[in-house]
Amino acid sequence: MGKWQEMTKEELETQYSPSRWSPRLDKDAVIEAHVQATSEATHSAQMATQTLLNVPYGLSEGEKLDVYLPKDLSETFPLVLYIHGGYWQFLSKNVSGFAAWPLVTHGIALAAVGYDVAPKGQLEVMVRQVRRSVAFAVQQYTGISGVYLLGHSAGAHLAAMVLSTDWKEFGVVPNIKGAFLVSGVYDLEPITHTYVNDVLHMSREVAQWNSPLKCVPELENRRACQVLITVAQHDSPEFCRQSQEYFEALRAAGWSASLLNIADTDHFDVIEKLSQEDYLLTQVILQMILKG
């Protein structure tokens, strides 16, 4: 497959339709299964942990956090902020606590971040909301020993945009120690030529301004922040290309970045399985945080 600019609209839409690449289920069934799996695991996590649901971090209806806390809160604890996917127009924080249980059992808090998905929210608004959620969390919970970003698909894009934040306007500099970016999109321009943009209405300028690949900050004091970029074996070639290019761009700018391809997973179960402690990615995340 050549450069995305050389693809037909139909080829581009196939590349940017993750559900078409799953070997497990057909494209509609795999999305239904994803919603069911994340909903059930989120419900289980809420039953098993101490939770603070619908904590507002801003004035908009979508600007809320669901926080999952360890039972024995020590004086300080790491916080993982999970940013959900859904192509910026689907899913919510309400089905995004599925990764909490393996984390809280190791003394790590998780906050599932809500934001205003399209058509209500515009892309640049979502980016600002997620940045604000990080600033709010570190101001609200003074016991945080370090912040870790975890994002899937469109959520990986938003988490990557947090890494390029100018924190001066937020009045706080979060101690972001790591980012786990799973099956993400880091260059939005190809998206503007697909059905995904029918709801987002992104201009080329908005896409470029909000593409992590186009705004990688040069390394200042960010060596302490480790970035893990993950792709599924059955992600599309375009998703794999974008992950590779963002990884290379981070490394070129001096960041500590690594790239992980997880066998026998597709775009959906690569993140769903974070509800399981013995899953490879869960173990990698735990090791990075507990070593932190």
Side-chain angles (χ1 to χ4, degrees):
M1 190 66 73
K3 293 180 179 176
W4 70 263
Q5 293 93 333
E6 298 164 6
M7 294 182 197
T8 65
K9 181 177 170 65
E10 186 180 11
E11 287 171 333
L12 261 184
E13 295 203 333
T14 298
Q15 287 288 324
Y16 286 96
S17 298
S19 58
R20 296 190 190 185
W21 296 83
S22 172
R24 293 184 296 138
L25 297 161
D26 73 31
K27 60 187 177 63
D28 294 325
V30 76
I31 293 173
E32 287 176 20
H34 179 61
V35 174
Q36 184 175 350
T38 55
S39 299
E40 290 176 357
T42 296
H43 179 71
S44 296
Q46 290 179 358
M47 292 297 99
T49 61
Q50 178 186 343
T51 59
L52 303 168
L53 301 180
N54 298 309
V55 178
Y57 67 84
L59 300 177
S60 172
E61 181 59 31
E63 296 180 26
K64 293 187 171 70
L65 303 174
D66 285 349
V67 186
Y68 299 76
L69 294 165
K71 282 222 171 4
D72 299 317
L73 275 178
S74 60
E75 286 183 20
T76 62
F77 57 91
L79 173 69
V80 173
L81 285 151
Y82 177 72
I83 306 161
H84 69 80
Y87 258 157
W88 307 277
Q89 57 197 276
F90 182 52
L91 299 178
S92 72
K93 69 169 180 58
N94 301 339
V95 295
S96 298
F98 55 89
W101 178 245
L103 296 173
V104 298
T105 55
H106 288 274
I108 302 162
L110 180 134
V113 180
Y115 54 93
D116 287 317
V117 297
K120 181 181 180 181
Q122 295 178 307
L123 195 93
E124 54 268 55
V125 173
M126 299 178 219
V127 169
R128 183 164 179 80
Q129 286 178 328
V130 171
R131 287 169 167 165
R132 190 184 302 126
S133 77
V134 178
F136 168 84
V138 297
Q139 288 167 322
Q140 184 76 7
Y141 304 106
T142 53
I144 295 171
S145 58
V147 172
Y148 296 83
L149 306 169
L150 170 60
H152 173 238
S153 198
H157 158 266
L158 293 169
M161 288 301 293
V162 171
L163 297 179
S164 67
T165 305
D166 180 354
W167 291 107
K168 286 195 283 291
E169 64 175 295
F170 293 92
V172 63
V173 181
N175 181 19
I176 300 176
K177 290 188 172 182
F180 310 106
L181 310 177
V182 184
S183 295
V185 181
Y186 308 104
D187 178 5
L188 300 185
E189 196 173 341
I191 296 284
T192 64
H193 299 279
T194 72
Y195 68 93
V196 180
N197 204 35
D198 293 350
V199 179
L200 296 171
H201 305 298
M202 271 189 295
S203 66
R204 185 165 183 261
E205 291 70 30
V206 167
Q208 289 186 326
W209 273 104
N210 292 282
S211 289
L213 201 49
K214 305 279 174 66
C215 58
V216 177
E218 287 297 319
L219 187 77
E220 292 166 14
N221 57 348
R222 295 182 170 91
R223 187 165 298 281
C225 179
Q226 291 184 292
V227 182
L228 175 67
I229 298 169
T230 302
V231 289
Q233 178 183 348
H234 300 292
D235 266 320
S236 76
E238 270 293 283
F239 270 81
C240 294
R241 176 190 68 79
Q242 289 222 14
S243 290
Q244 179 72 36
E245 289 191 5
Y246 186 52
F247 162 70
E248 291 171 0
L250 285 170
R251 290 291 289 266
W255 288 69
S256 174
S258 50
L259 186 63
L260 176 65
N261 189 316
I262 301 190
D264 302 320
T265 56
D266 60 35
H267 186 83
F268 302 95
D269 61 358
V270 70
I271 195 78
E272 292 165 16
K273 290 181 178 181
L274 286 180
S275 62
Q276 305 165 17
E277 184 164 349
D278 59 357
Y279 173 47
L280 171 63
L281 185 55
T282 310
Q283 286 296 309
V284 170
I285 289 171
L286 283 171
Q287 286 168 17
M288 281 178 67
I289 294 174
L290 296 175
K291 204 169 63 178

